[in-house]
Each structure stands twice: as structure tokens, then as C-alpha cells.
Amino acid sequence: MEIDLPLEVYYSKKKKFILNLNNYRNAHYRVLSISKRLYSENLVPRLKIFDRFTEPVSLTYTYYARSNRRLDISNPCSIIDKFTCDALVKAEILEDDSFRQIKEVVYKFGGVEKDNPRCKLVISKFTI
């Protein structure tokens, strides 16, 4: 299963929450709550076309940056992972987002794509 994920969420007409650890740490709890809900509302309908995973899975996030600016890849991917796992459970693609079902999480850098910055998620059956 493969799906493109957004890097930001508009929580009002002009304000957006950029998904990264620094913003997550500093944001007001209401902004976080609204952003997480909107992210899930956007993603869940797109996930409904996929089959449910009952066996352990591996999640691979490939981050495509907007610019060549230096980037700590785990900074955005950790928050994208957090929001996405909750949406995967809500969409009933995963039974649970604990270590019992998610055995591996990988973050990769996919390069710079100025016109289409995104994070691509690939969910696959976990193999040892």
C-alpha cells in the first residue's frame, strides 16, 4: 500500500500547522487538536480504498523536501507518523498503532521536489 501524505494542515483560512516536531512541541493544545482532527478527516476517506492489515506491518516514510535547506528528517517524519498512525487506526486499516502491529518504522529522504513536496508512506507486511 502506498499513499502521499501532506506536510501541513490548514486549521483556519489563513493559518497552517506545518507538521514537524518543533511546531508540535510549541503549538497550543487546541491548535494541535484541530490540526490532528483535520488531518485525519482529510486522510481517512483516501485510506478507505485499501485493505485492512491484520498481520504485523512495516511503515516506510519517504520525505520529499520543498528546498535544499538542511533538514533533520526525523523532525517532520515523527509528527507525520504520529498523525498518520492515528488516521490508519480510525480508517480501520490497522487494528492498533502499537508495537504489536507496527514492527518497524523507517524514515528516508527522497530528495527535493519544489513543486510537489510531500511524504510518501508505504505500508508493507513485516518480514524479519
Side-chain angles (χ1 to χ4, degrees), residues 9 20 33 39 56 112 115 118 127:
V9 176
N20 72 43
S33 178
Y39 184 90
V112 175
D115 297 331
R118 68 196 181 286
T127 55

Side-chain angles (χ1 to χ4, degrees), residues 69-120:
R69 191 173 175 187
R70 266 180 68 175
L71 170 73
D72 174 0
I73 196 70
S74 63
N75 204 341
C77 287
S78 62
I79 302 308
I80 292 169
D81 175 46
K82 179 171 182 44
F83 280 33
T84 302
C85 284
D86 290 343
L88 288 167
V89 171
K90 188 173 184 176
E92 298 180 348
I93 301 299
L94 299 178
E95 292 177 18
D96 187 18
D97 60 353
S98 73
F99 69 91
R100 297 189 195 283
Q101 187 162 24
I102 300 173
K103 296 292 186 179
E104 178 180 53
V105 178
V106 178
Y107 301 149
K108 295 180 179 181
F109 182 69
V112 175
E113 288 197 19
K114 293 178 184 180
D115 297 331
N116 189 19
R118 68 196 181 286
C119 189
K120 182 175 77 173

Side-chain angles (χ1 to χ4, degrees), residues 7-8 16 63-68 111-115 117:
L7 304 181
E8 58 199 24
K16 64 183 172 182
Y63 188 86
Y64 296 89
R66 185 179 319 269
S67 70
N68 263 335
V112 175
E113 288 197 19
K114 293 178 184 180
D115 297 331

Side-chain angles (χ1 to χ4, degrees), residues 26-39:
N26 296 327
H28 190 276
Y29 73 93
R30 291 179 75 187
V31 170
L32 288 176
S33 178
I34 292 167
S35 298
K36 194 171 183 182
R37 180 179 50 80
L38 292 171
Y39 184 90

